């Protein structure tokens, strides 16, 4: 891992900007960067800029890592909300300034690929990057950030996101559905929107996995990921009223305090009083905890509401661990289920529909089909394809910048 500027002026360099040093975004960057470094080997370089506290799990010698961004302190480290807010307001400009300072010393970097940004600072940062003569790409994992200050009106957030997206040279999304929604949101003239598949997460370690039959006999359901209203946890808890023979594990950090306090916790207490087994782990789950968590459950439940419009990283985590899913058809989940039945879907996001989908997993024919479909999906969603689609997006830039990628273009064409 590198902390200092180490220009590779003999190569065209693409810089991936991913401030998150742990969690799903860090995992995504690690997977994509490994694939990009393989696909572009000898023709261009990829380098990562990330947080100073990058965890060992995402450190590698496959590509240079510049851990230069200031770490984000957790809310629990502050005595009161005012101190926390003040820290956030200072953190993001300092983070962007540190990155731009580093980038000015890297004339070999021809493109910057943003995996994350700060909405109210993004357009300004992109303008400064382009003023250096560099292209800017952004992966739109979600049109809106998962959470932002309640005092920010939606119209203001819309303006920030539109301006930043329109300032880019290219945008990446994971599904055709999200591409359409993004195009509609941006309206008028906007940068090219490239659809790149989300890969199946890499599973580390070689611990034996239970068979599908063994898993499903346990009747243990897992809700994993950040707890937000559009994830539909309240729907699962209402469905649990008719699933007394199942246990439920809820593992994830609450991001909407009022929703969690007034709707989720009271439902959990009522269910426990009725004898339903619920294991609540209401905190951030580290990457090192995931293998055991996923190996000890029967299925992952994704009761996402229609307000969820992105692709779900959780479903690809389930695929990586060969775990069936019970899922609504919200956002990118519908796109995946149209190709592979990796579990049991339900169209109406209601407790009755969810409970019926859970029960269908007991059908021997469904189990057999799901097992086959999971194997097919795991083979199909490779990070190599993600990298190739990403490179194609890089190559679709304006003619004067595309010249910087000529070698890469020829290599990609000959490989195909």
């Amino acid at each position: 891992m590198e902390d200092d500027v180490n220009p590779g002026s003999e190569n065209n360099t693409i810089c991936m900007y991913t401030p998150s040093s742990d969690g799903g975004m860090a995992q995504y960057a690690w997977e994509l960067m490994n694939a990009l470094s393989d696909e572009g080997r000898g023709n261009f370089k990829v380098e990562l800029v990330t947080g100073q506290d990058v965890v060992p799990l995402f450190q590698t010698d496959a590509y240079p890592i510049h851990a230069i961004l200031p770490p984000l302190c957790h809310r629990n480290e502050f005595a009161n909300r005012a101190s926390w807010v003040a820290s956030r307001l200072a953190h993001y400009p300092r983070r962007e300034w540190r990155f731009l300072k580093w980038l000015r010393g890297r004339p070999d970097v021809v493109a910057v690929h943003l995996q994350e940004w700060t909405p109210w600072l993004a357009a300004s940062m992109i303008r400064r990057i382009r003023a250096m003569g560099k292209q800017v790409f952004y992966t739109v994992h979600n049109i809106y950030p998962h959470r932002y200050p309640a005092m920010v009106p939606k119209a203001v957030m819309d303006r920030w996101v539109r301006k930043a997206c329109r300032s880019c040279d290219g945008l990446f999304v994971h599904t055709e559905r999200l591409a359409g929604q993004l195009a509609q949101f941006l309206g008028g003239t906007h940068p090219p929107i490239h659809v790149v598949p989300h890969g199946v997460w890499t599973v580390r370690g070689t611990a034996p996995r239970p068979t599908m039959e063994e898993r499903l006999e346990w009747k243990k359901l897992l809700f994993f990921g950040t707890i937000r209203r559009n994830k539909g946890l309240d729907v699962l808890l209402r469905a649990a009223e008719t699933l007394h023979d199942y246990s439920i594990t809820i593992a994830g950090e609450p991001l909407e305090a009022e929703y969690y306090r007034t709707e989720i916790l009271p439902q959990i207490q009522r269910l426990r009083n009725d004898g339903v087994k619920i294991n609540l782990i209401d905190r951030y789950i580290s990457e090192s905890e995931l293998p055991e968590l996923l190996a000890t459950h029967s299925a992952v439940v994704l009761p996402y509401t229609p307000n969820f419009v992105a692709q779900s990283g959780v479903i690809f985590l389930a695929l990586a661990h060969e775990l069936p899913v019970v899922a609504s058809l919200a956002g990118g989940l519908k796109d995946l289920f149209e190709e592979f039945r990796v579990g049991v879907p339900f169209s109406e996001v209601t407790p009755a529909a969810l409970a019926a989908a859970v029960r269908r997993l007991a059908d021997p024919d469904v189990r057999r089909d799901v097992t086959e479909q999971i194997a097919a999906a795991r083979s199909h969603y490779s990070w190599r394809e993600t990298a190739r689609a990403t490179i194609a997006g890089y190559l679709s830039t304006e003619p004067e910048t595309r010249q910087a990628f000529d070698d890469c273009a020829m290599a990609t064409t000959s490989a195909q």
Side-chain angles (χ1 to χ4, degrees), residues 342-365:
V342 296
V344 180
F346 54 97
S347 299
E348 294 184 7
V349 188
T350 65
L354 193 162
V358 169
R359 297 287 186 196
R360 284 198 63 208
L361 277 176
D363 185 312
D365 291 336

Side-chain angles (χ1 to χ4, degrees), residues 87-411:
S87 171
R88 288 296 191 271
L89 291 176
H91 170 81
Y92 294 110
R94 184 169 65 248
R95 186 181 75 183
E96 268 71 340
W97 175 85
R98 181 69 181 90
F99 174 60
L100 291 171
K101 180 182 178 182
W102 175 87
L103 194 59
R104 289 188 192 98
R106 294 301 303 270
D108 58 305
V109 172
V110 296
V112 174
H113 187 161
L114 307 173
Q115 292 296 335
E116 303 170 87
W117 64 23
T118 306
W120 52 94
L121 300 174
S124 175
M125 183 172 78
I126 293 167
R127 185 174 64 251
R128 287 176 168 80
I129 294 172
R130 296 190 69 186
M132 299 179 201
K134 307 176 191 302
Q135 294 279 294
V136 180
F137 300 88
Y138 174 55
T139 297
V140 186
H141 296 277
N142 304 279
I143 295 177
Y144 294 103
H146 287 324
R147 56 177 175 177
Y148 55 87
M151 72 284 293
V152 177
K154 182 178 181 297
V156 173
M157 181 60 69
D158 285 355
R159 187 162 62 250
W160 285 339
V161 174
R162 283 196 184 100
K163 186 175 182 180
C165 284
R166 289 170 177 168
S167 300
C168 294
D169 294 283
L171 302 169
F172 296 104
V173 296
H174 294 310
T175 69
E176 293 287 352
R177 192 178 310 276
L178 183 55
Q181 291 169 335
L182 179 60
Q184 183 177 15
F185 170 77
L186 295 177
T189 303
H190 57 74
I193 300 173
H194 310 284
V195 178
V196 300
H198 192 301
V200 173
W201 301 120
T202 298
V203 176
R204 306 176 196 238
T206 57
R209 291 196 189 102
T211 66
M212 182 75 72
E213 291 293 327
E214 289 176 305
R215 287 180 184 274
L216 294 176
E217 290 300 324
W218 299 338
K219 293 189 174 183
K220 297 177 65 175
L221 305 177
L222 173 64
F223 177 96
F224 173 74
T226 53
I227 299 173
R228 308 190 306 271
R229 185 177 295 277
N230 70 352
K231 293 288 193 74
L233 177 55
D234 56 295
V235 180
L236 170 59
L237 292 175
R238 293 200 300 275
E241 295 174 6
T242 61
L243 295 169
H244 279 225
D245 49 333
Y246 284 80
S247 67
I248 298 174
T249 296
I250 301 166
E253 182 180 11
L255 293 190
E256 296 178 10
E258 185 69 12
Y259 167 69
Y260 181 67
R261 182 180 62 84
T262 62
E263 296 188 42
I264 299 305
L265 289 179
Q267 286 191 71
I268 290 175
Q269 190 57 54
R270 282 195 297 272
L271 289 166
R272 283 174 169 171
N273 290 342
D274 288 342
V276 179
K277 295 179 181 179
I278 298 181
N279 179 27
L280 177 61
I281 313 172
D282 55 352
R283 59 172 174 78
Y284 170 74
I285 308 299
S286 68
E287 297 296 321
S288 61
E289 297 175 272
L290 291 179
E292 182 178 358
L293 182 67
L294 291 157
T296 53
H297 286 83
S298 305
V300 171
V301 182
L302 307 175
Y304 297 173
T305 73
N307 291 329
F308 183 91
V309 298
Q311 183 56 278
S312 170
V314 177
I315 197 169
F316 288 94
L317 184 65
L319 283 174
H321 290 265
E322 301 179 38
L323 193 61
V325 297
V326 175
S328 71
L329 296 176
L333 296 173
K334 183 174 182 179
D335 297 75
L336 193 152
F337 266 96
E338 286 177 349
E339 289 191 275
F340 303 100
R341 288 275 176 150
V342 296
V344 180
F346 54 97
S347 299
E348 294 184 7
V349 188
T350 65
L354 193 162
V358 169
R359 297 287 186 196
R360 284 198 63 208
L361 277 176
D363 185 312
D365 291 336
V366 171
R367 293 185 182 191
R368 190 160 41 250
D369 183 55
V370 167
T371 301
E372 294 173 356
Q373 291 289 298
I374 287 176
R378 281 166 53 85
S379 175
H380 177 78
Y381 288 106
S382 73
W383 287 101
R384 172 168 288 187
E385 291 305 315
T386 307
R388 287 176 176 172
T390 301
I391 292 171
Y394 296 155
L395 295 175
S396 68
T397 55
E398 295 300 319
E400 61 271 20
T401 304
R402 180 168 178 165
Q403 182 63 39
F405 294 102
D406 273 351
D407 289 342
C408 175
M410 288 187 290

